[in-house]
Amino acid sequence: MNITYLNFLPDYGFDNTIYYLNPEGKFYGWDKNNRRFYNLSTPSLNDVEGISFDNLVEGDVLSYDSATQTWINKIPETSSGVNSFNERQGDVYLESGDVTYALEYTPENVSNKVTTIVPELINDTEYPSTSAVYNYVGSAITKSYGAWKNDETQYAANNTEGFGIKFNTPDISEQGINIEVDLLGNKTIIRFLNPGKYNIQFSCQFENLSTQINDVSIWLRKNGEDASADIIGTARYITIPAKYEEINGRTTVSFNYFVEAIANDYFQLVWATTNSEVLSMKSYEAISPIPSSYSSILTVSQIN
């Protein structure tokens, strides 16, 4: 409750404010229930007792102790009207521990605040202690990302299995995402070193040597390299045009998946074809004026 000095009382008052009327030399409080001022300087049945109001100055802050029905001046270095607090006797000086005691928790130490984003808290040290130990995997301060490509034509060994799409050449790597070798010795495994949500975006181009159209399917696997790791609903079907005269049928496909991963999860893009003898994922050499073209391109970026 603040002390405000005035030459006259206003028409109404504010809660938590004591008004000192200079001409009268008296202090008044605002009764919000009855919408009136009451005299604090002259005790009456409607007033409360406490400190000497004659010693108050503008800017003092008062607090009412309902247990003892007394007013307490919060400004002086030592308390008035209090003979014990938090198991201490006599004149009581407020200490930093009193704040913790009153709040029933330790306030945040802003000067010791951890401002970097970290993925995993190893021990159970109470924040924000500097002894807290964090585990950084790869680059945890910035989002993970990467880009890869494949400069070789890719073939399916048969028409009955799915095969991992290869990405043998990095453009951007070692930024929290790795391309690793699968069980067949091909670089098809997309491994995430940091937890988060990611966008897996890729493009592949196919060539059909047959005069009949043929189909290709692409889908996503997680943490495995067989059908048990297939992610339901991720399959996409693409029809590759038939060869026409001397021009082979060609199609480029591009789409993306949004995925969520924990540290060390891995995904694999898989493809299959209805006719492995005539259909391939094609890489082209440069032919003037056209530059070379990769069979597959992959970009992965963390979105959260």
Side-chain angles (χ1 to χ4, degrees):
M1 184 169 293
N2 297 312
I3 306 300
T4 300
Y5 280 58
L6 299 172
N7 290 320
F8 58 89
L9 284 178
D11 294 333
Y12 59 88
F14 295 96
D15 294 341
N16 302 317
T17 302
I18 295 294
Y19 298 90
Y20 179 78
L21 191 60
N22 286 304
E24 298 180 7
K26 296 180 180 180
F27 290 89
Y28 291 86
W30 173 251
D31 182 353
K32 67 177 181 180
N33 294 324
N34 297 309
R35 299 186 61 80
R36 66 179 180 84
F37 288 97
Y38 59 95
N39 185 356
L40 293 174
S41 302
T42 304
S44 69
L45 294 178
N46 295 325
D47 298 332
V48 291
E49 298 180 359
I51 63 175
S52 173
F53 288 91
D54 294 335
N55 296 326
L56 296 179
V57 296
E58 189 163 11
D60 280 353
V61 178
L62 303 186
S63 175
Y64 179 62
D65 184 350
S66 59
T68 60
Q69 293 189 337
T70 58
W71 288 93
I72 303 168
N73 188 350
K74 309 290 286 189
I75 291 299
E77 186 175 47
T78 60
S79 57
S80 299
V82 179
N83 55 23
S84 67
F85 178 75
N86 204 9
E87 300 182 356
R88 300 197 304 277
Q89 303 296 322
D91 286 340
V92 178
Y93 292 81
L94 289 179
E95 302 172 353
S96 59
D98 296 327
V99 178
T100 301
Y101 177 83
L103 295 176
E104 297 184 348
Y105 68 89
T106 302
E108 177 183 354
N109 181 356
V110 177
S111 63
N112 193 25
K113 184 176 180 181
V114 178
T115 57
T116 54
I117 301 173
V118 292
E120 183 179 359
L121 179 62
I122 299 303
N123 67 359
D124 196 26
T125 303
E126 183 177 355
Y127 176 82
S129 170
T130 53
S131 61
V133 179
Y134 294 92
N135 180 26
Y136 289 86
V137 183
S139 175
I141 297 177
T142 59
K143 295 179 181 179
S144 301
Y145 58 93
W148 298 264
K149 60 197 176 190
N150 197 88
D151 58 3
E152 298 176 346
T153 297
Q154 304 179 47
Y155 300 93
N158 55 59
N159 302 335
T160 60
E161 296 180 75
F163 298 91
I165 299 177
K166 303 174 187 176
F167 304 100
N168 62 5
T169 304
D171 285 324
I172 302 173
S173 61
E174 299 182 358
Q175 299 297 324
I177 304 170
N178 290 341
I179 299 297
E180 299 178 359
V181 174
D182 61 21
L183 297 176
L184 298 177
N186 300 315
K187 292 184 177 181
T188 68
I189 300 299
I190 309 167
R191 187 177 298 277
F192 298 88
L193 303 185
N194 298 311
K197 296 179 177 64
Y198 293 85
N199 180 24
I200 300 176
Q201 186 165 359
F202 67 97
S203 66
C204 303
Q205 56 185 13
F206 297 95
E207 183 177 78
N208 184 10
L209 303 180
S210 172
T211 56
Q212 302 293 322
I213 62 174
N214 286 285
D215 286 343
V216 170
S217 300
I218 298 177
W219 66 95
L220 195 62
R221 286 176 177 166
K222 181 178 181 180
N223 293 335
E225 298 182 37
D226 56 27
S228 65
D230 292 345
I231 300 179
I232 297 173
T234 60
R236 296 293 180 266
Y237 294 88
I238 306 102
T239 296
I240 311 304
K243 178 178 180 179
Y244 179 73
E245 296 182 350
E246 299 302 319
I247 301 176
N248 296 330
R250 299 188 182 100
T251 293
T252 298
V253 299
S254 178
F255 50 94
N256 66 299
Y257 297 104
F258 281 89
V259 300
E260 187 168 6
I262 62 174
N264 288 320
D265 272 351
Y266 67 89
F267 291 80
Q268 185 184 45
L269 290 164
V270 183
W271 73 293
T273 176
T274 56
N275 193 335
S276 59
E277 295 182 359
V278 297
L279 196 142
S280 63
M281 192 182 303
K282 187 67 174 178
S283 178
Y284 298 97
E285 296 181 356
I287 301 176
S288 182
I290 304 171
S292 61
S293 180
Y294 300 114
S295 60
S296 58
I297 296 174
L298 171 70
T299 60
V300 184
S301 56
Q302 188 173 358
I303 61 176
N304 70 324

